[in-house]
Amino acid sequence: MAAVLAVTVLTLSSIILTGRLSHDEHMYLSAAHLLGEYSMYEDFAYFQTPYMPYVYHWASFLPGSDHVLTTARFVKILIVLLLLLGVFFTCSRLTRDRWIALACVLMLANNDIFRHAIPYATNLDMASLLTVASFWLALRAGPERQNILSIFI
């Protein structure tokens, strides 16, 4: 099971690192770069959900992050890895079977739309990660706390 997950992560990582440059990435990466000196919405217009420029901006402080696009793509690998783990743990919690959870991860990794969207330094995968994380938290909370969590999720 671990070998299948490792091959899946390596395959998706290679898709992320070898994906062609997209004009959409300019919007996120330039906003992340501008956050060092300016503030979003006050000094420059930004029309997307603002969390990914902050993530890429914080990643720019990591050692060896001189190359903006490469750093953003490695951040995407981390986000996709966390997303796959979130899907795995959520599905194993729902089904109580790790093999079915592995099948769910493989179905996600084999989805054409998912594989087309993951190479680009955009916010699609972070939104998916946060959705899966909130669903997993709601499942983990149990029935006695789900009414309270439904207010926030």
Side-chain angles (χ1 to χ4, degrees), residues 7-55:
V7 168
T8 302
V9 168
L10 287 175
T11 302
L12 293 177
S13 298
S14 68
I15 290 172
I16 292 170
L17 290 175
T18 59
R20 65 179 178 81
L21 186 62
S22 169
H23 66 278
D24 290 339
E25 289 175 307
H26 169 267
M27 183 171 41
Y28 297 93
L29 298 179
S30 60
H33 184 71
L34 288 172
L35 281 173
E37 299 175 25
Y38 304 102
S39 84
M40 198 180 301
Y41 302 117
E42 287 181 27
D43 298 323
F44 64 94
Y46 188 75
F47 302 111
Q48 297 289 326
T49 308
Y51 48 80
M52 284 315 290
Y54 287 111
V55 171

Side-chain angles (χ1 to χ4, degrees), residues 54-153:
Y54 287 111
V55 171
Y56 294 137
H57 177 68
W58 294 325
S60 69
F61 295 117
L62 295 173
S65 60
D66 299 335
H67 304 287
V68 176
L69 181 61
T70 307
T71 302
R73 296 275 175 109
F74 277 114
V75 168
K76 284 290 285 196
I77 290 173
L78 179 64
I79 291 171
V80 168
L81 174 65
L82 292 174
L83 176 62
L84 292 176
L85 287 174
V87 168
F88 180 79
F89 287 123
T90 302
C91 290
S92 65
R93 179 103 179 166
L94 281 171
T95 63
R96 308 270 189 240
D97 188 352
R98 291 183 180 252
W99 291 104
I100 293 175
L102 179 64
C104 293
V105 167
L106 293 176
M107 284 190 292
L108 176 64
N110 196 37
N111 186 308
D112 287 337
I113 297 170
F114 180 74
R115 283 193 331 265
H116 175 75
I118 62 170
Y120 306 118
T122 59
N123 64 357
L124 301 172
D125 298 321
M126 181 61 96
S128 300
L129 174 63
L130 294 174
T131 302
V132 169
S134 66
F135 187 57
W136 181 74
L137 284 173
L139 283 175
R140 203 168 158 226
E144 65 277 354
R145 294 187 185 161
Q146 284 182 352
N147 290 335
I148 297 169
L149 277 176
S150 67
I151 296 169
F152 298 107
I153 297 176

